[in-house]
Amino acid sequence: MQTEQQVVLAELQEELEAQGIEIVRSEQLERQDLQWLEEHFLETIFPVLTPLSIDPAHPFPFIPNLGFSIALELVHRHRREQMNALLRFPVSLEPLRLHSDRGRGLSLHQPRRRHRPLYRQALIPGYEVKGKGTFRVIRDSDIEVEEEAEDLVRLFETALKRRRRGQVVRIEFDHEMPQGLREFVAHELEVPEMRVSVQPGILALNTVSEIVSIDRDDRISNPIRPLSRTHSRA
């Protein structure tokens, strides 16, 4: 099903581009895009990001349900020491950001080639990015309710807290992430290979709905207004 969704998305993107609406990749970024991206990163994204190193002294952090993270393979410029790190994106951060009124959207969860100077200079000084990739964790969110429970309110409160830390049932990886880095993340989260999915396009396709907010009234269908009760009787 996800493969079919990616195929449909590719077809829709071609039709959108014909109307001047694009979801741009690194090779399509223009000078104006890069300037806007750097300003947006420093003002909006950088203050809420914290790089987390992964080593014996720093265990793998908790990744919430539907949470996006960027995994990084780093190597020190001078000592040539290697290290893995994570950048966790807050849920409040919009994954697809619209650029002005030009009808161009940038996927902020994709650490493309031209994003590297931002990570290197602002977040991980002294290190080079050897490999990178985005992934999303999907956890078991089912709630089992005991009808004979004495206090249903307390039961639901406990169940909702437990649901946040439910078992990981699936990991979705960006196809650009190196296999070794994917295996590292899956191993740390104790997820078997059968529950790993590598996606060729955008993760979490529901975020593409942000395109609807582009100020293009000429591309929006006319609203369907229901008939009033009086008119329908007539």
Side-chain angles (χ1 to χ4, degrees), residues 3-205:
T3 301
E4 293 178 356
Q5 289 176 337
Q6 294 291 345
V7 171
V8 172
L9 176 62
E11 296 174 353
L12 290 175
Q13 284 185 258
E14 292 182 0
E15 296 182 12
L16 287 169
E17 289 175 4
Q19 301 297 326
I21 301 174
E22 301 175 275
I23 301 178
V24 297
R25 297 175 60 87
S26 62
E27 58 270 17
Q28 299 171 304
L29 291 176
E30 301 172 359
R31 182 175 181 179
Q32 185 176 354
D33 296 324
L34 292 171
Q35 181 180 357
W36 174 88
L37 178 60
E38 183 171 358
E39 293 176 357
H40 178 71
F41 174 84
L42 295 176
E43 294 176 2
T44 306
I45 302 177
F46 175 69
V48 299
L49 289 184
T50 301
L52 304 172
S53 60
I54 310 299
D55 52 44
H58 302 87
F60 202 87
F62 174 77
I63 306 296
N65 183 39
L66 302 180
F68 277 92
S69 299
I70 292 180
L72 299 168
E73 286 182 339
L74 305 175
V75 58
H76 197 276
R77 292 184 187 176
H78 306 295
R79 299 192 300 269
R80 308 313 297 174
E81 298 174 351
Q82 296 188 7
M83 178 182 68
N84 291 332
L86 286 184
L87 288 175
R88 293 188 298 178
F89 279 82
V91 178
S92 59
L93 187 64
E94 298 176 353
L96 184 66
R97 183 68 178 176
L98 301 180
H99 179 192
S100 68
D101 58 351
R102 302 176 61 203
R104 294 167 69 81
L106 301 174
S107 181
L108 301 181
H109 286 166
Q110 304 298 324
R112 303 300 182 191
R113 182 173 61 255
R114 296 195 185 184
H115 293 57
R116 288 185 184 181
L118 301 180
Y119 292 120
R120 184 169 61 243
Q121 297 171 13
L123 288 172
I124 46 177
Y127 283 88
E128 294 287 345
V129 178
K130 182 180 177 182
K132 84 286 183 187
T134 311
F135 68 95
R136 185 174 75 142
V137 169
I138 301 175
R139 296 181 177 271
D140 183 4
S141 300
D142 289 343
I143 296 179
E144 297 182 1
V145 179
E146 299 178 6
E147 297 181 358
E148 299 180 358
E150 296 181 0
D151 191 335
L152 284 176
V153 174
R154 182 172 299 177
L155 176 66
F156 272 103
E157 289 178 348
T158 303
L160 289 173
K161 292 179 181 179
R162 190 184 306 118
R163 182 174 69 168
R164 182 177 179 272
R165 293 185 173 271
Q167 180 182 4
V168 178
V169 296
R170 185 179 179 86
I171 302 181
E172 295 179 350
F173 288 107
D174 176 5
H175 75 287
E176 294 189 358
M177 182 186 291
Q179 182 176 353
L181 194 54
R182 293 201 303 263
E183 293 175 352
F184 169 77
V185 173
H187 173 75
E188 293 293 328
L189 292 174
E190 300 180 348
V191 177
E193 185 178 355
M194 63 180 295
R195 294 184 178 179
V196 171
S197 173
V198 181
Q199 298 297 321
I202 299 175
L203 302 182
L205 294 183

